[in-house]
Amino acid sequence: MRFATWNVNSVKARLPRLLEWLDTTKPDVLCLQETKVGEDAFPSDEAGELGYEVAAYGQGRWNGVALLSRVGLDEVRKGFAGEPGYPDPEARAISARAGGIRFWSIYVPNGRTPDDPHYTYKLSWLSALRSALTAEIDAGPLVLAGDFNVAPTDDDVWDPAVFVGSTHVTPPEREALSGLRSAGLQDIVGRPMKGDHPFTYWDYRAGMFHQNKGMRIDLVYATPSVAGRVTDAVVDREARKGKGPSDHAPIVVDLADAAS
């Protein structure tokens, strides 16, 4: 089984690239973030022509998450119990069962700056997510994937000194990630196609991508029953190249068949 996660930074703007990538990479399940379309506007027909069933959760030009699957989608849920809003709940989480695994696609709030109310919202959102996941982690195989907007360690940013005083690297954010792992999830780190760091995001500013000045903020967390099946995981840096790319690269994970 193959699954992937990708912040596409507007599914409409990236649609030709997304469809080509789907046709070439052929993930069985894809978790998408920052789709920036309402549910009725999601290109489900185009994905369907490639054999994908779609579950989308969106609110127009902001946020938006989706799941695409060639192995079915059951028990689709939008959002989660206890999810805080800003001020109302946003389209940041969707989950469903596919191929015997419960997949979550999440787009964690950015936080903006540590003294901004959005930062408090981010921490509250992550805390509520951990509470919502507790029962599901115990219930069976689970993958939590998406844009977490947090770099887990200093090794996950190109220059820690540049990020002093910024979001994405503060101790409370990293403690929130640690809380998810301590709840029963393991970090599946994709191998980089270039360099020593598996960065997944590079700012659009000139030179950032080519100099590999990036961050690892797109993550795949999985229960041990899934993590133990991983045969390969890679950051598809090629998808960040070319004309009009997303500023994020997808992570592609291959699993061995489940034990009978």
Side-chain angles (χ1 to χ4, degrees), residues 136-179:
E136 294 212 0
I137 290 171
D138 293 337
L142 182 144
V143 167
L144 177 71
D147 180 356
F148 284 62
N149 270 317
V150 184
T153 72
D154 280 352
D155 286 339
D156 296 309
V157 296
W158 64 274
D159 183 355
V162 172
F163 295 90
V164 173
S166 302
T167 57
H168 293 52
V169 300
T170 65
E173 292 169 287
R174 288 175 170 174
E175 287 166 10
L177 290 192
S178 178

Short mmCIF file of all heavy atoms in Angstrom, two decimals, residues 136-179:
data_model
loop_
_atom_site.label_atom_id
_atom_site.label_comp_id
_atom_site.label_asym_id
_atom_site.label_seq_id
_atom_site.Cartn_x
_atom_site.Cartn_y
_atom_site.Cartn_z
N GLU A 136 -9.15 6.95 19.35
CA GLU A 136 -8.94 6.39 18.02
C GLU A 136 -7.61 5.65 17.92
O GLU A 136 -7.50 4.64 17.23
CB GLU A 136 -9.02 7.50 16.97
CG GLU A 136 -10.40 8.11 16.85
CD GLU A 136 -10.70 8.57 15.44
OE1 GLU A 136 -9.84 8.41 14.56
OE2 GLU A 136 -11.82 9.07 15.23
N ILE A 137 -6.59 6.16 18.60
CA ILE A 137 -5.29 5.48 18.58
C ILE A 137 -5.41 4.09 19.20
O ILE A 137 -4.80 3.13 18.72
CB ILE A 137 -4.24 6.33 19.33
CG1 ILE A 137 -3.91 7.58 18.51
CG2 ILE A 137 -2.98 5.52 19.63
CD1 ILE A 137 -3.04 8.58 19.24
N ASP A 138 -6.21 3.98 20.22
CA ASP A 138 -6.40 2.68 20.87
C ASP A 138 -7.29 1.74 20.05
O ASP A 138 -7.28 0.52 20.28
CB ASP A 138 -7.04 2.88 22.25
CG ASP A 138 -6.11 3.59 23.22
OD1 ASP A 138 -4.88 3.55 22.99
OD2 ASP A 138 -6.60 4.20 24.19
N ALA A 139 -8.04 2.31 19.10
CA ALA A 139 -9.02 1.51 18.37
C ALA A 139 -8.45 0.74 17.20
O ALA A 139 -9.07 -0.22 16.72
CB ALA A 139 -10.15 2.41 17.88
N GLY A 140 -7.26 1.13 16.72
CA GLY A 140 -6.70 0.40 15.58
C GLY A 140 -5.71 1.22 14.80
O GLY A 140 -5.33 2.33 15.21
N PRO A 141 -5.25 0.69 13.65
CA PRO A 141 -4.22 1.38 12.85
C PRO A 141 -4.67 2.78 12.45
O PRO A 141 -5.81 2.99 12.03
CB PRO A 141 -4.07 0.48 11.62
CG PRO A 141 -4.56 -0.87 12.06
CD PRO A 141 -5.65 -0.59 13.04
N LEU A 142 -3.75 3.74 12.58
CA LEU A 142 -4.10 5.14 12.33
C LEU A 142 -2.90 5.89 11.77
O LEU A 142 -1.76 5.65 12.17
CB LEU A 142 -4.59 5.80 13.63
CG LEU A 142 -5.04 7.25 13.57
CD1 LEU A 142 -6.22 7.50 14.53
CD2 LEU A 142 -3.90 8.21 13.94
N VAL A 143 -3.18 6.80 10.84
CA VAL A 143 -2.18 7.71 10.29
C VAL A 143 -2.69 9.13 10.45
O VAL A 143 -3.83 9.44 10.07
CB VAL A 143 -1.90 7.42 8.79
CG1 VAL A 143 -1.11 8.57 8.16
CG2 VAL A 143 -1.15 6.11 8.63
N LEU A 144 -1.86 9.97 11.02
CA LEU A 144 -2.14 11.39 11.17
C LEU A 144 -1.12 12.12 10.31
O LEU A 144 0.08 12.09 10.60
CB LEU A 144 -2.00 11.81 12.64
CG LEU A 144 -2.20 13.29 12.98
CD1 LEU A 144 -3.66 13.69 12.83
CD2 LEU A 144 -1.71 13.58 14.40
N ALA A 145 -1.57 12.75 9.23
CA ALA A 145 -0.63 13.33 8.27
C ALA A 145 -1.10 14.71 7.84
O ALA A 145 -2.29 15.00 7.80
CB ALA A 145 -0.50 12.42 7.05
N GLY A 146 -0.12 15.55 7.53
CA GLY A 146 -0.49 16.87 7.03
C GLY A 146 0.55 17.92 7.31
O GLY A 146 1.71 17.63 7.64
N ASP A 147 0.10 19.17 7.21
CA ASP A 147 0.94 20.32 7.49
C ASP A 147 0.73 20.70 8.96
O ASP A 147 -0.29 21.26 9.32
CB ASP A 147 0.54 21.48 6.56
CG ASP A 147 1.37 22.73 6.80
OD1 ASP A 147 2.19 22.74 7.73
OD2 ASP A 147 1.17 23.71 6.05
N PHE A 148 1.72 20.39 9.79
CA PHE A 148 1.62 20.63 11.23
C PHE A 148 2.07 22.04 11.61
O PHE A 148 1.86 22.46 12.74
CB PHE A 148 2.47 19.61 11.99
CG PHE A 148 1.88 18.23 12.07
CD1 PHE A 148 1.63 17.48 10.93
CD2 PHE A 148 1.59 17.66 13.31
CE1 PHE A 148 1.09 16.20 11.01
CE2 PHE A 148 1.06 16.38 13.41
CZ PHE A 148 0.80 15.65 12.26
N ASN A 149 2.72 22.73 10.70
CA ASN A 149 3.21 24.08 10.98
C ASN A 149 4.07 24.14 12.24
O ASN A 149 4.10 25.14 12.96
CB ASN A 149 2.05 25.08 11.07
CG ASN A 149 1.72 25.69 9.71
OD1 ASN A 149 2.61 26.06 8.96
ND2 ASN A 149 0.43 25.77 9.40
N VAL A 150 4.79 23.06 12.50
CA VAL A 150 5.75 22.99 13.60
C VAL A 150 6.94 22.16 13.12
O VAL A 150 6.75 21.08 12.56
CB VAL A 150 5.17 22.33 14.87
CG1 VAL A 150 6.19 22.37 16.00
CG2 VAL A 150 3.87 22.99 15.30
N ALA A 151 8.14 22.67 13.34
CA ALA A 151 9.35 21.91 13.06
C ALA A 151 9.74 21.19 14.36
O ALA A 151 10.01 21.85 15.37
CB ALA A 151 10.48 22.83 12.61
N PRO A 152 9.75 19.87 14.38
CA PRO A 152 9.94 19.13 15.64
C PRO A 152 11.22 19.44 16.40
O PRO A 152 11.23 19.45 17.62
CB PRO A 152 9.89 17.67 15.20
CG PRO A 152 9.10 17.68 13.93
CD PRO A 152 9.46 18.97 13.25
N THR A 153 12.32 19.69 15.69
CA THR A 153 13.61 19.96 16.34
C THR A 153 14.36 21.03 15.56
O THR A 153 13.99 21.39 14.43
CB THR A 153 14.50 18.70 16.40
OG1 THR A 153 14.99 18.40 15.07
CG2 THR A 153 13.73 17.50 16.93
N ASP A 154 15.46 21.50 16.13
CA ASP A 154 16.29 22.48 15.42
C ASP A 154 16.89 21.90 14.14
O ASP A 154 17.21 22.64 13.20
CB ASP A 154 17.42 22.97 16.32
CG ASP A 154 16.96 24.04 17.31
OD1 ASP A 154 15.80 24.50 17.20
OD2 ASP A 154 17.76 24.41 18.21
N ASP A 155 17.05 20.59 14.08
CA ASP A 155 17.57 19.97 12.87
C ASP A 155 16.56 20.05 11.72
O ASP A 155 16.92 19.77 10.57
CB ASP A 155 17.91 18.50 13.12
CG ASP A 155 19.19 18.33 13.92
OD1 ASP A 155 20.00 19.29 13.93
OD2 ASP A 155 19.37 17.26 14.52
N ASP A 156 15.32 20.41 12.03
CA ASP A 156 14.27 20.45 11.02
C ASP A 156 14.06 21.83 10.42
O ASP A 156 13.07 22.07 9.73
CB ASP A 156 12.96 19.93 11.63
CG ASP A 156 13.07 18.46 12.02
OD1 ASP A 156 13.50 17.66 11.17
OD2 ASP A 156 12.73 18.12 13.17
N VAL A 157 14.99 22.75 10.69
CA VAL A 157 15.00 24.06 10.03
C VAL A 157 16.40 24.32 9.51
O VAL A 157 17.39 23.83 10.07
CB VAL A 157 14.56 25.20 10.97
CG1 VAL A 157 13.11 25.01 11.40
CG2 VAL A 157 15.46 25.29 12.19
N TRP A 158 16.51 25.09 8.45
CA TRP A 158 17.80 25.26 7.80
C TRP A 158 18.79 26.06 8.62
O TRP A 158 20.01 25.86 8.51
CB TRP A 158 17.63 25.87 6.41
CG TRP A 158 17.05 27.27 6.37
CD1 TRP A 158 15.73 27.60 6.37
CD2 TRP A 158 17.78 28.49 6.31
NE1 TRP A 158 15.59 28.96 6.31
CE2 TRP A 158 16.84 29.55 6.26
CE3 TRP A 158 19.14 28.82 6.29
CZ2 TRP A 158 17.20 30.89 6.20
CZ3 TRP A 158 19.50 30.16 6.22
CH2 TRP A 158 18.55 31.18 6.17
N ASP A 159 18.30 26.98 9.48
CA ASP A 159 19.18 27.74 10.35
C ASP A 159 18.40 28.15 11.59
O ASP A 159 17.62 29.10 11.54
CB ASP A 159 19.72 28.98 9.63
CG ASP A 159 20.72 29.77 10.47
OD1 ASP A 159 20.92 29.42 11.64
OD2 ASP A 159 21.30 30.74 9.94
N PRO A 160 18.59 27.46 12.71
CA PRO A 160 17.82 27.76 13.92
C PRO A 160 17.92 29.22 14.34
O PRO A 160 16.95 29.78 14.88
CB PRO A 160 18.43 26.83 14.97
CG PRO A 160 19.00 25.70 14.18
CD PRO A 160 19.49 26.31 12.90
N ALA A 161 19.04 29.87 14.09
CA ALA A 161 19.20 31.26 14.52
C ALA A 161 18.23 32.19 13.82
O ALA A 161 17.81 33.21 14.39
CB ALA A 161 20.64 31.71 14.25
N VAL A 162 17.85 31.84 12.61
CA VAL A 162 16.92 32.67 11.84
C VAL A 162 15.53 32.66 12.46
O VAL A 162 14.76 33.61 12.32
CB VAL A 162 16.86 32.19 10.37
CG1 VAL A 162 15.75 32.90 9.59
CG2 VAL A 162 18.21 32.39 9.70
N PHE A 163 15.19 31.60 13.17
CA PHE A 163 13.83 31.40 13.65
C PHE A 163 13.63 31.79 15.12
O PHE A 163 12.53 31.61 15.65
CB PHE A 163 13.41 29.94 13.44
CG PHE A 163 13.33 29.55 11.99
CD1 PHE A 163 14.44 29.04 11.34
CD2 PHE A 163 12.16 29.72 11.28
CE1 PHE A 163 14.38 28.69 10.00
CE2 PHE A 163 12.08 29.37 9.95
CZ PHE A 163 13.20 28.86 9.29
N VAL A 164 14.66 32.31 15.74
CA VAL A 164 14.53 32.72 17.14
C VAL A 164 13.43 33.77 17.27
O VAL A 164 13.40 34.76 16.53
CB VAL A 164 15.86 33.29 17.67
CG1 VAL A 164 15.66 33.88 19.07
CG2 VAL A 164 16.93 32.20 17.70
N GLY A 165 12.49 33.54 18.18
CA GLY A 165 11.39 34.46 18.38
C GLY A 165 10.22 34.26 17.44
O GLY A 165 9.25 35.03 17.49
N SER A 166 10.30 33.24 16.59
CA SER A 166 9.24 32.98 15.62
C SER A 166 8.39 31.78 16.04
O SER A 166 8.78 30.98 16.90
CB SER A 166 9.85 32.69 14.24
OG SER A 166 10.64 33.76 13.79
N THR A 167 7.24 31.66 15.42
CA THR A 167 6.44 30.46 15.60
C THR A 167 7.11 29.29 14.88
O THR A 167 8.12 29.44 14.21
CB THR A 167 5.03 30.65 15.03
OG1 THR A 167 5.14 31.02 13.64
CG2 THR A 167 4.27 31.72 15.77
N HIS A 168 6.51 28.12 15.02
CA HIS A 168 6.93 26.87 14.38
C HIS A 168 8.08 26.18 15.12
O HIS A 168 8.33 25.01 14.88
CB HIS A 168 7.34 27.06 12.92
CG HIS A 168 6.22 27.46 12.01
ND1 HIS A 168 5.39 28.52 12.26
CD2 HIS A 168 5.79 26.92 10.84
CE1 HIS A 168 4.50 28.63 11.29
NE2 HIS A 168 4.73 27.66 10.42
N VAL A 169 8.77 26.90 16.02
CA VAL A 169 9.92 26.31 16.70
C VAL A 169 9.88 26.51 18.21
O VAL A 169 10.82 26.11 18.91
CB VAL A 169 11.25 26.89 16.15
CG1 VAL A 169 11.39 26.60 14.66
CG2 VAL A 169 11.34 28.39 16.42
N THR A 170 8.82 27.12 18.74
CA THR A 170 8.79 27.43 20.17
C THR A 170 8.60 26.17 21.01
O THR A 170 8.02 25.18 20.54
CB THR A 170 7.65 28.41 20.50
OG1 THR A 170 6.39 27.78 20.23
CG2 THR A 170 7.76 29.69 19.67
N PRO A 171 9.09 26.16 22.23
CA PRO A 171 8.93 24.98 23.09
C PRO A 171 7.48 24.52 23.25
O PRO A 171 7.22 23.30 23.18
CB PRO A 171 9.54 25.43 24.41
CG PRO A 171 10.59 26.41 24.02
CD PRO A 171 9.99 27.16 22.86
N PRO A 172 6.48 25.41 23.45
CA PRO A 172 5.11 24.91 23.59
C PRO A 172 4.60 24.18 22.35
O PRO A 172 3.87 23.18 22.46
CB PRO A 172 4.29 26.18 23.86
CG PRO A 172 5.26 27.12 24.50
CD PRO A 172 6.55 26.86 23.79
N GLU A 173 4.98 24.65 21.16
CA GLU A 173 4.56 23.97 19.94
C GLU A 173 5.21 22.58 19.84
O GLU A 173 4.54 21.59 19.50
CB GLU A 173 4.94 24.80 18.72
CG GLU A 173 4.16 26.10 18.58
CD GLU A 173 4.77 27.00 17.53
OE1 GLU A 173 5.85 27.59 17.79
OE2 GLU A 173 4.16 27.13 16.46
N ARG A 174 6.48 22.53 20.15
CA ARG A 174 7.18 21.25 20.08
C ARG A 174 6.69 20.29 21.17
O ARG A 174 6.63 19.08 20.95
CB ARG A 174 8.68 21.48 20.18
CG ARG A 174 9.24 22.11 18.91
CD ARG A 174 10.70 22.45 19.00
NE ARG A 174 11.22 22.82 17.68
CZ ARG A 174 12.45 23.30 17.46
NH1 ARG A 174 13.29 23.45 18.48
NH2 ARG A 174 12.84 23.61 16.24
N GLU A 175 6.33 20.83 22.31
CA GLU A 175 5.76 19.99 23.37
C GLU A 175 4.41 19.41 22.93
O GLU A 175 4.07 18.28 23.30
CB GLU A 175 5.61 20.81 24.64
CG GLU A 175 6.93 21.11 25.34
CD GLU A 175 6.82 22.19 26.39
OE1 GLU A 175 5.67 22.57 26.72
OE2 GLU A 175 7.85 22.65 26.90
N ALA A 176 3.66 20.17 22.15
CA ALA A 176 2.38 19.67 21.65
C ALA A 176 2.61 18.48 20.72
O ALA A 176 1.86 17.49 20.76
CB ALA A 176 1.63 20.77 20.92
N LEU A 177 3.65 18.55 19.89
CA LEU A 177 3.97 17.40 19.03
C LEU A 177 4.42 16.21 19.88
O LEU A 177 4.05 15.06 19.59
CB LEU A 177 5.08 17.77 18.05
CG LEU A 177 4.77 18.75 16.93
CD1 LEU A 177 5.91 18.74 15.91
CD2 LEU A 177 3.46 18.42 16.24
N SER A 178 5.20 16.48 20.89
CA SER A 178 5.64 15.41 21.78
C SER A 178 4.44 14.75 22.45
O SER A 178 4.43 13.52 22.64
CB SER A 178 6.59 15.98 22.84
OG SER A 178 6.99 14.98 23.75
N GLY A 179 3.42 15.54 22.75
CA GLY A 179 2.22 14.99 23.35
C GLY A 179 1.50 14.04 22.42
O GLY A 179 0.95 13.02 22.85
#
